[in-house]
């Protein structure tokens, strides 16, 4: 393998990072594939370096980990610290809590796992507002680095001949799992499905280090040009359907460029002009800083600065990212990589202390649900901050407790407990649905007629057929929230449509952050645009269910399709833009009071 520094790989890094940045600005739909280029480059460089050390009997697992720590951890810790501080200043509790989860997970190289659990759809709009969502790829790389050197440790000396066959075998396993799995989010976020991208780079580094089947002929340079053009075309044009094929194609093209580029990067003037020019190599050198900074800057800009990143904002923010990246490249990346500037012991002390402080602080803020300051818009102040703590439980989270409390109503009606009980004169109301169904139940419980009704809640996914049929039979009225009934469902449970009502969908925009950080004078007139497709879906449901449909959006939208964000007294209707706060439930209870009374014939 050529040990001369390859400037063309810096150029390839630039080709990778530019589309990623454009993707997160919303301008390039295939730009996320730049991450796949980085995976292949990493596998190629790391494997080449380690394999050379194995051949020279110089490989050390500890030195390998030290190099990875120097290369990655200082910048990760610094950028997660900056994101954490900005979150403390600008974010609402629910968003701050989510950020602190990401800080914690990123520092433990596990944000890909967290993203799989909390944001399975990488392309979802909500991810645009997550400052550390991009560290999922670092999670994959660092998990790879944690396991990868074990192969070389056990296959040293005479056993090194087994390294390449083992890598090929593991690559085939990973590729097979990648194409056979139907779980899109797992394939995107988990190492076992991404291993082949890194290992293909590694296979190329080993196989072509002493073999040159193409030889340095004029023909191979044309293949190299073709691969380069094809890669750029793939990134900038949506020419291939299917994410799996896009990822595999990107991997193969990148691997080919790395192999053939090694033959031509020194002597081929056209190739050098295309990929080793000063601009590309300069961008490539700071690509790690660019990667770490860009999403932090873009997400916080969306959160507290601008509703939409227009072209002018995109240029301005990109310049900010560039300046920050240059600064951290020279003040953090370079010094920590240089053993002569920062020795191993000071490195470990600095990294360990920083890790402990940042991770502990983020864990604490997560555990208190981000409730560290007064937020009048949510009715939060020093005297009423929740005393409970979060501890990685999806159903005991502080900020969703109001919604989760409805699960206590997941029980039979009071006069139907196996035939035992006092006969109730209250109107029996059954709410069916998921978390949106629990929102409906909260609206009913905040109503003026709450003492005249008995509310029960059931999640269709968690009840036996017999239990659901019993509750449906005994209910006077049934309200569906989110889990809208189908003809098959109605027939299955023999539901009387005369007592069924459909509670409409709802949405309060992309993020509350931009509203929270503005000085709003008239809450009653302040509105925001809904997420793309929500209004169309609402119209479709209205048409489908007709008079049985209770339109929530129609109660708060205007002629432009924008909806209210606050109650008249300045309280958020939703803490996460999709579920009700207590104030939101109270507000809609007032708006729906006469409608519900008419439906249930209440006086």
């Amino acid at each position: 393998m050529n040990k001369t520094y390859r400037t063309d790989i810096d150029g390839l890094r630039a080709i990778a990072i530019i589309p990623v940045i454009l993707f997160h600005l919303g301008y390039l739909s295939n730009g996320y594939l730049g991450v796949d280029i980085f995976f292949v480059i990493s596998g190629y460089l790391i494997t080449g370096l380690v394999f050379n050390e194995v051949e020279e009997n110089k490989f050390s697992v500890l030195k390998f980990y030290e190099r990875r720590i120097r290369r990655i951890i200082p910048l990760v810790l610094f950028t997660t610290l900056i994101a954490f501080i900005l979150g403390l200043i600008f974010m609402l509790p629910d968003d701050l809590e989510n950020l602190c989860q990401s800080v914690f997970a990123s520092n433990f190289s596990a944000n890909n796992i967290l993203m799989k659990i909390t944001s399975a759809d990488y392309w979802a709009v909500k991810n645009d507002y997550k400052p550390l969502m991009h560290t999922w790829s670092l999670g994959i790389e660092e998990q790879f680095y944690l396991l990868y050197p074990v192969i070389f440790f056990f296959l040293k000396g005479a056993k090194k001949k087994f390294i390449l066959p083992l890598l090929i075998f593991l690559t085939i396993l990973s590729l097979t799992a990648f194409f056979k799995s139907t779980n899109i989010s797992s394939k995107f976020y988990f190492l076992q499905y991404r291993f082949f991208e890194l290992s293909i780079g590694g296979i190329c580094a080993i196989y072509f280090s002493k073999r040159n089947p193409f030889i340095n002929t004029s023909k191979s340079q044309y293949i190299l040009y073709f691969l380069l053009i094809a890669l750029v075309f793939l990134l900038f044009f949506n020419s291939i359907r299917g994410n799996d094929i896009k990822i595999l194609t990107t991997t193969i093209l990148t691997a080919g460029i790395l192999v053939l580029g090694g033959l031509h990067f020194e002597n081929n003037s056209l190739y050098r002009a295309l990929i080793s020019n000063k601009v590309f190599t300069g961008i490539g050198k700071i690509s790690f800083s660019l990667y770490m900074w860009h999403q932090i800057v873009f997400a916080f800009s969306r959160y507290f600065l601008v509703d939409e990143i227009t072209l002018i904002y995109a240029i301005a923010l990109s310049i900010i990212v560039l300046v920050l990246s240059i600064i951290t490249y020279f003040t953090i990346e370079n010094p920590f990589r240089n053993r002569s500037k920062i020795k191993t012991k000071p490195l470990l002390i600095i990294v360990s202390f920083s890790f402990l402080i940042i991770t502990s602080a983020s864990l604490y803020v997560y555990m208190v649900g981000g409730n560290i300051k007064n937020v009048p818009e949510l009715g939060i102040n020093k005297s009423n901050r929740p005393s409970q703590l979060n501890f990685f439980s999806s159903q005991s989270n502080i900020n969703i407790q109001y919604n989760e409390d409805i699960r206590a109503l997941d029980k039979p009606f009071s006069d139907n407990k196996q035939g035992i009980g006092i006969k109730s004169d209250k109107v029996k109301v059954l709410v069916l649905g998921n978390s949106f169904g629990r929102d409906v139940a909260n609206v009913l419980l905040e109503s003026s007629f709450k003492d005249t009704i008995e509310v029960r809640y059931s999640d269709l996914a968690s009840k036996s057929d017999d239990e659901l049929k019993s509750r449906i039979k005994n209910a006077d009225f049934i309200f569906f929230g989110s889990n809208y009934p189908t003809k098959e469902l109605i027939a299955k449970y023999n539901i009387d449509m005369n007592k069924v009502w459909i509670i409409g969908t709802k949405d309060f925009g992309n993020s509350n952050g931009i509203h929270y950080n503005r000085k709003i004078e008239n809450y009653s007139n302040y509105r925001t645009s809904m997420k793309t497709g929500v209004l169309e879906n609402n119209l479709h449901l209205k048409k489908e269910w007709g008079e049985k449909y209770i339109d929530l959006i129609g109660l708060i939208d205007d002629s432009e399709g924008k909806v209210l964000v606050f109650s008249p007294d300045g309280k958020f209707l939703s803490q996460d833009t999709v579920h009700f706060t207590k104030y939101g439930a109270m507000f809609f209870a007032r708006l729906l009071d006469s409608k519900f009374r008419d439906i249930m014939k209440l006086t």
Side-chain angles (χ1 to χ4, degrees):
M1 185 176 180
N2 199 324
K3 295 183 181 180
T4 305
Y5 184 84
R6 287 185 56 179
T7 54
D8 66 320
I9 293 182
D10 281 332
L12 194 57
R13 287 192 179 107
I15 291 175
I17 191 60
I18 292 171
V20 170
I21 291 173
L22 291 173
F23 172 77
H24 285 135
L25 283 170
Y27 288 105
L28 192 63
S29 61
N30 276 353
Y32 67 93
L33 294 170
V35 173
D36 301 282
I37 298 175
F38 279 123
F39 285 159
V40 183
I41 293 174
S42 294
Y44 182 84
L45 292 177
I46 293 299
T47 307
L49 177 63
V50 172
F51 191 73
N52 280 341
E53 291 179 343
V54 168
E55 287 195 310
E56 297 170 6
N57 293 317
K58 294 180 180 179
F59 176 65
S60 164
V61 172
L62 292 179
K63 286 184 178 179
F64 175 88
Y65 288 143
E66 182 189 341
R67 286 197 298 263
R68 292 300 88 205
I69 289 171
R70 288 181 178 275
R71 176 73 177 93
I72 296 172
I73 303 302
L75 183 60
V76 169
L77 290 174
F78 181 74
T79 50
T80 57
L81 172 63
I82 297 301
F84 177 63
I85 293 171
L86 290 173
L88 294 177
I89 297 170
F90 295 107
M91 281 186 158
L92 288 158
D94 194 40
D95 299 317
L96 179 57
E97 174 207 312
N98 292 333
L99 172 64
C100 288
Q101 276 186 313
S102 292
V103 171
F104 186 88
S106 296
N107 289 354
F108 273 104
S109 307
N111 204 32
N112 57 321
I113 298 171
L114 178 65
M115 287 290 291
K116 168 62 175 70
I117 296 169
T118 61
S119 304
D121 183 4
Y122 176 73
W123 292 268
V125 172
K126 64 181 179 181
N127 288 334
D128 290 341
Y129 298 85
K130 293 190 174 185
L132 294 177
M133 59 86 70
H134 60 313
T135 63
W136 70 270
S137 64
L138 282 180
I140 289 177
E141 283 206 36
E142 290 172 58
Q143 289 156 24
F144 174 80
Y145 296 145
L146 187 65
L147 300 171
Y148 200 53
V150 175
I151 295 173
F152 297 88
F153 178 78
F154 285 106
L155 297 180
K156 293 186 292 187
K159 298 177 183 176
K160 65 185 179 185
K161 62 184 178 181
F162 296 111
I163 292 175
L164 185 59
L166 178 59
L167 283 182
I168 293 172
F169 174 71
L170 293 175
T171 299
I172 292 170
L173 283 182
S174 178
L175 264 172
T176 302
F178 180 75
F179 280 104
K180 276 191 169 292
S181 175
T182 57
N183 191 318
I184 296 173
S185 59
S186 292
K187 288 165 64 170
F188 196 91
Y189 287 120
F190 287 162
L191 173 61
Q192 62 266 36
Y193 303 106
R194 294 289 196 160
F195 182 87
F196 75 89
E197 297 182 74
L198 293 132
S199 60
I200 283 176
I203 290 168
C204 288
I206 295 173
Y207 184 80
F208 292 102
S209 62
K210 294 181 179 178
R211 299 173 181 83
N212 192 349
F214 299 105
I215 310 177
N216 192 356
T217 63
S218 59
K219 290 184 179 179
S220 66
Q221 69 177 326
Y222 296 117
I223 298 174
L224 177 60
Y225 300 150
F226 170 78
L227 295 176
L228 194 59
I229 293 169
L231 181 62
V232 173
F233 189 84
L234 175 62
L235 292 169
F236 284 84
F237 299 95
N238 206 8
S239 53
I240 297 177
R241 291 185 178 181
N243 188 56
D244 293 358
I245 300 300
K246 288 179 183 179
I247 288 174
L248 181 59
T249 305
T250 302
T251 301
I252 293 170
L253 292 173
T254 304
I257 292 168
L258 287 168
V259 170
L260 293 179
L263 305 177
H264 296 285
F265 79 98
E266 290 184 287
N267 303 316
N268 189 307
S269 58
L270 177 58
Y271 180 61
R272 288 177 63 85
L274 289 173
I275 202 168
S276 295
N277 58 73
K278 289 184 178 181
V279 173
F280 270 34
T281 54
I283 292 172
K285 285 181 185 296
I286 64 170
S287 59
F288 183 37
S289 280
L290 287 168
Y291 189 80
M292 288 307 301
W293 279 116
H294 80 281
Q295 178 61 12
I296 295 174
V297 172
F298 298 164
F300 275 111
S301 296
R302 289 184 172 105
Y303 193 87
F304 69 83
L305 191 62
V306 296
D307 287 298
E308 180 184 358
I309 297 181
T310 60
L311 182 59
I312 297 298
Y313 280 122
I315 293 170
L317 294 175
S318 297
I319 292 172
I320 292 171
V321 170
L322 181 63
V323 171
L324 289 172
S325 300
I326 292 171
I327 291 171
T328 54
Y329 176 75
F330 285 106
T331 61
I332 295 177
E333 284 195 71
N334 271 356
F336 276 94
R337 284 188 217 171
N338 192 333
R339 277 198 181 93
S340 63
K341 290 186 177 181
I342 300 178
K343 303 295 184 182
T344 301
K345 187 175 180 179
L347 166 76
L348 295 177
I349 291 173
I350 293 169
V351 167
S352 299
F353 181 76
S354 301
F355 175 87
L356 182 64
I357 296 298
I358 299 167
T359 307
S360 299
S362 65
L363 178 61
Y364 169 76
V365 177
Y366 161 75
M367 290 181 70
V368 299
N371 291 289
I372 59 168
K373 58 187 175 183
N374 295 336
V375 185
E377 295 88 344
L378 291 172
I380 297 172
N381 54 56
K382 291 180 181 179
S383 64
N384 69 354
R385 289 178 195 166
S387 58
Q388 70 186 87
L389 296 176
N390 288 333
F391 199 74
F392 304 105
S393 172
S394 61
Q395 291 187 14
S396 62
N397 183 284
I398 294 169
N399 295 307
I400 63 171
Q401 198 58 52
Y402 179 67
N403 185 281
E404 287 292 323
D405 284 344
I406 293 300
R407 292 185 186 275
L409 300 177
D410 192 353
K411 57 187 179 182
F413 289 104
S414 59
D415 60 351
N416 191 47
K417 296 179 181 178
Q418 298 179 342
I420 302 171
I422 300 171
K423 198 75 175 175
S424 174
D425 292 329
K426 291 184 177 182
V427 176
K428 293 188 281 293
V429 180
L430 177 63
V431 178
L432 297 175
N434 50 20
S435 59
F436 298 108
R438 296 193 288 276
D439 275 343
V440 175
N442 270 323
V443 170
L444 291 167
L445 293 175
E446 298 292 353
S447 67
S448 63
F449 49 83
K450 61 184 177 182
D451 294 330
T452 64
I453 61 175
E454 183 178 36
V455 179
R456 292 294 181 259
Y457 162 75
S458 289
D459 188 331
L460 290 173
S462 62
K463 288 286 164 293
S464 68
D465 287 352
D466 289 342
E467 193 173 358
L468 266 177
K469 286 178 180 178
S470 175
R471 293 190 194 181
I472 288 169
K473 179 181 178 181
N474 285 281
D476 296 312
F477 296 96
I478 300 172
F479 293 100
F480 277 85
S482 183
N483 294 83
Y484 304 116
T486 61
K487 290 181 180 179
E488 292 77 15
L489 182 70
I490 291 166
K492 178 180 179 180
Y493 293 107
N494 194 25
I495 302 175
D496 181 0
M497 281 302 295
N498 289 321
K499 57 184 183 182
V500 168
W501 295 83
I502 315 300
I503 307 298
T505 187
K506 59 187 184 302
D507 185 82
F508 300 93
N510 291 318
S511 170
N512 281 334
I514 194 74
H515 318 306
Y516 172 62
N517 288 286
R518 283 177 174 163
K519 292 182 179 179
I520 299 169
E521 296 181 357
N522 189 339
Y523 291 103
S524 297
N525 290 330
Y526 184 85
R527 283 179 164 81
T528 190
S529 298
M530 289 176 282
K531 298 180 189 71
T532 303
V534 173
L535 193 57
E536 291 78 3
N537 183 46
N538 189 55
L539 291 172
H540 169 75
L541 290 169
K542 284 176 67 175
K543 184 177 180 180
E544 181 180 359
W545 294 106
E547 63 178 13
K548 287 288 182 178
Y549 189 74
I550 299 176
D551 182 8
L552 300 184
I553 289 175
L555 297 173
I556 58 170
D557 70 345
D558 61 11
S559 58
E560 296 178 359
K562 293 184 176 183
V563 294
L564 292 171
V565 176
F566 299 97
S567 63
D569 57 347
K571 298 294 190 290
F572 275 113
L573 300 177
S574 171
Q575 83 277 5
D576 61 359
T577 75
V578 287
H579 297 99
F580 287 140
T581 59
K582 182 178 178 66
Y583 304 104
M586 293 168 61
F587 180 71
F588 273 85
R590 290 194 296 271
L591 294 180
L592 291 167
D593 189 87
S594 61
K595 178 71 173 178
F596 280 140
R597 284 181 178 276
D598 288 343
I599 289 172
M600 293 183 276
K601 297 179 174 57
L602 301 173
T603 56

